[in-house]
Amino acid sequence: MEEKKVVVVTGASRGIGKEIALKYAENGYNVAINYVSDKTNVEELEKEFKDKGAEALIVKADVSKSEQVQEFIKAVIEKYGKIDVLVNNAGITRDMLLMRMKEEDFDKVIEINLKGTFLVTKEVVPYMMKKRDGKIISLSSVVGVTGNAGQCNYSASKAGIIGFTKSIAKELASRNIRANAVAPGFIDTDMTNVLSDEVKENINKQIPMRRMGTAREIANVVYFLGSEESSYITGQVINIDGGMVC
Ligand code: NAP
């Protein structure tokens, strides 16, 4: 029997990350995920992956803390011995207009979204290099491409992920490691549930498809980018936004 492939998805206790991990689990991968909050019911989460036929490693680790990232990836290698696909998904928002944004809110968003992507990727890539095979997919956002009032910290972090992705795609292509990003529009998760119904209605009016996306619609594209079906795609940013940016 062929050995199962292994995917690492950061910040996958809920929302888009969880849906991505479930998509991989359904398709025969073993999964390793992390989270940060104490609210996560690890046993319940583990059962959801087991029900899909996958083994799951679930670790509490903050992506912005290098020691915790090292421990997380060490645990993945100890359990599975390899990493085939990395999905840099963990992310937060701390929205505020520039003039009222606190320095700590700018720093926190950059640390988790952008530096976290750097720390996890740096830790994983040596294992991909060793076997001359790997796929890295990072979650950017439409606002990383277009900017958005009230999100200068978040937009900067997501624009940074695009530059990061394009750079490592060039560095790693000769080692048969591909790096791509996806830029979701407005997706129905806890991150957007904080918006009022009125704001959501206004957002929907600006989306040509007139609705928010689902986490599954992001997971499908991320899965494609981690598969051999996308074997000649690297350094790209795929918008998944119902036509918002085109
Ligand atoms: P979400 O529902 O808020 O979930 C965020 C996930 O990230 C949770 O699993 C959370 O873990 C984890 N996380 C947060 N900080 C972390 C840290 N320091 N270390 C490790 N894990 C951490 O968010 P989402 O909507 O699914 O978004 C997922 C990704 O897509 C993010 O990068 C986001 O920026 C991007 N995105 C989302 C949208 C959207 O409309 N939803 C649009 C564009 C891009 P806990 O459960 O432990 O807190």
Side-chain angles (χ1 to χ4, degrees):
M1 208 172 69
E2 207 185 314
E3 198 190 14
K4 277 196 165 199
K5 288 188 173 169
V6 176
V7 64
V8 171
V9 187
T10 66
S13 51
R14 53 199 166 91
I16 294 171
K18 182 176 170 183
E19 201 62 28
I20 292 169
L22 286 170
K23 171 88 187 180
Y24 275 94
E26 284 161 23
N27 283 280
Y29 280 68
N30 284 330
V31 300
I33 67 170
N34 71 324
Y35 65 98
V36 275
S37 77
D38 292 317
K39 285 176 274 170
T40 300
N41 183 336
V42 175
E43 271 175 33
E44 211 171 274
L45 201 54
E46 204 168 27
K47 189 177 173 307
E48 285 192 59
F49 291 110
K50 286 226 166 92
D51 288 347
K52 305 271 181 198
E55 273 190 66
L57 174 70
I58 304 172
V59 175
K60 184 172 178 184
D62 184 333
V63 292
S64 67
K65 307 271 188 273
S66 57
E67 274 172 27
Q68 293 184 32
V69 170
Q70 282 162 14
E71 287 299 312
F72 172 42
I73 298 307
K74 196 170 145 224
V76 180
I77 294 299
E78 272 170 14
K79 184 172 171 76
Y80 298 123
K82 62 168 186 171
I83 297 166
D84 296 286
V85 179
L86 165 65
V87 183
N88 287 308
N89 169 81
I92 61 161
T93 51
R94 292 271 172 93
D95 298 350
M96 189 53 69
L97 293 170
L98 168 70
M99 296 312 288
R100 277 192 279 159
M101 185 174 288
K102 294 195 186 106
E103 184 177 341
E104 68 209 54
D105 286 336
F106 186 85
D107 287 347
K108 196 79 193 156
V109 168
I110 298 291
E111 266 174 32
I112 293 176
N113 298 6
L114 182 56
K115 188 179 158 197
T117 297
F118 160 74
L119 289 175
V120 179
T121 306
K122 187 165 189 271
E123 213 53 44
V124 168
V125 159
Y127 298 102
M128 292 182 166
M129 277 181 149
K130 217 182 277 175
K131 62 189 192 75
R132 289 193 158 259
D133 185 31
K135 290 100 188 165
I136 300 161
I137 304 108
S138 301
L139 274 283
S140 178
S141 165
V142 278
V143 304
V145 179
T146 62
N148 195 24
Q151 290 196 305
C152 69
N153 50 357
Y154 182 77
S155 302
S157 75
K158 294 299 181 180
I161 284 174
I162 294 175
F164 177 79
T165 297
K166 286 177 183 284
S167 301
I168 63 166
K170 289 193 163 114
E171 281 183 32
L172 301 172
S174 64
R175 310 294 181 103
N176 195 33
I177 300 170
R178 296 188 287 111
N180 291 290
V182 293
F186 286 90
I187 310 303
D188 190 10
T189 67
D190 291 348
M191 191 176 268
T192 47
N193 277 343
V194 294
L195 304 170
S196 69
D197 286 346
E198 195 189 338
V199 171
K200 280 190 194 167
E201 243 171 63
N202 280 334
I203 288 172
N204 282 344
K205 279 186 201 147
Q206 290 160 38
I207 303 171
M209 286 180 72
R210 296 282 183 270
R211 66 168 177 87
M212 288 180 130
T214 65
R216 185 45 67 140
E217 286 171 316
I218 308 305
N220 289 340
V221 180
V222 170
Y223 182 74
F224 164 72
L225 289 171
S227 77
E228 292 310 320
E229 300 290 307
S230 58
S231 53
Y232 203 48
I233 301 178
T234 195
Q236 303 304 307
V237 185
I238 314 280
N239 292 346
I240 316 167
D241 61 5
M244 281 177 82
V245 180
C246 55

